[in-house]
């Protein structure tokens, strides 16, 4: 998607930041502070919209207030969207061109670490949600699937999902 609208003409250099979607996102990327760029790179590990808690976990950010300010600044810059989840909570989703560009900017080790932090967070969430039943983890089900699929490639062969006494969704 990043090469969408790419121009191969001589006029493409007249407005380079409009020459392709890649140029548009690259121009916006250059405007980011390092912590904003790091958060976007970490959020590429999510398969769907992410909760603020999930984004904080993947990015390794302990402070919720700082994270919410970053998420708001990225939303205001039109690099991600705030959406309402099925549980009426606010969740955040990267726009696809931004996701692709951010993933290209991340080192493989950075993404491996973000996925490991996401898996740890999902396990903690699952344990805490057990008394409330499957509906408590339903918004994260796409991330659970992504975590299971990515674990072997990340060398997380010991990643074991606890035996939860919950019916299948």
């Amino acid at each position: 998607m990043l090469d969408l609208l790419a121009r191969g003409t001589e006029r493409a250099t007249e407005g380079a930041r409009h020459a392709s979607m890649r140029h548009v996102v690259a121009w916006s990327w250059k405007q980011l502070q390092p912590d904003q760029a790091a958060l976007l790179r970490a959020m590429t590990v999510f398969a769907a919209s992410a909760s603020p808690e999930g984004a904080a976990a993947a990015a390794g950010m302990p402070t919720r207030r700082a994270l919410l300010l970053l998420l708001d600044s990225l939303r205001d810059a039109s690099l991600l969207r705030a959406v309402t989840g099925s549980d009426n909570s606010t969740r955040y989703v990267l726009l696809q061109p931004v996701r692709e560009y951010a993933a290209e900017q991340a080192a493989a080790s950075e993404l491996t670490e973000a996925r490991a932090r996401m898996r740890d967070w999902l396990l903690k969430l699952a344990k805490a949600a057990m008394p409330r039943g499957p509906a408590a983890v339903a918004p994260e089900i796409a991330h659970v699937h992504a975590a299971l699929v990515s674990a072997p490639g990340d060398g997380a062969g010991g990643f074991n999902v606890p035996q939860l006494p919950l019916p299948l969704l």
Side-chain angles (χ1 to χ4, degrees), residues 30-55:
K30 289 177 187 172
Q31 312 306 311
L32 296 175
Q33 297 296 318
D35 54 352
Q36 293 172 313
L39 178 58
L40 288 175
R41 288 190 307 268
M43 288 183 68
T44 65
V45 303
F46 288 98
S49 64
S51 67
E53 296 78 17

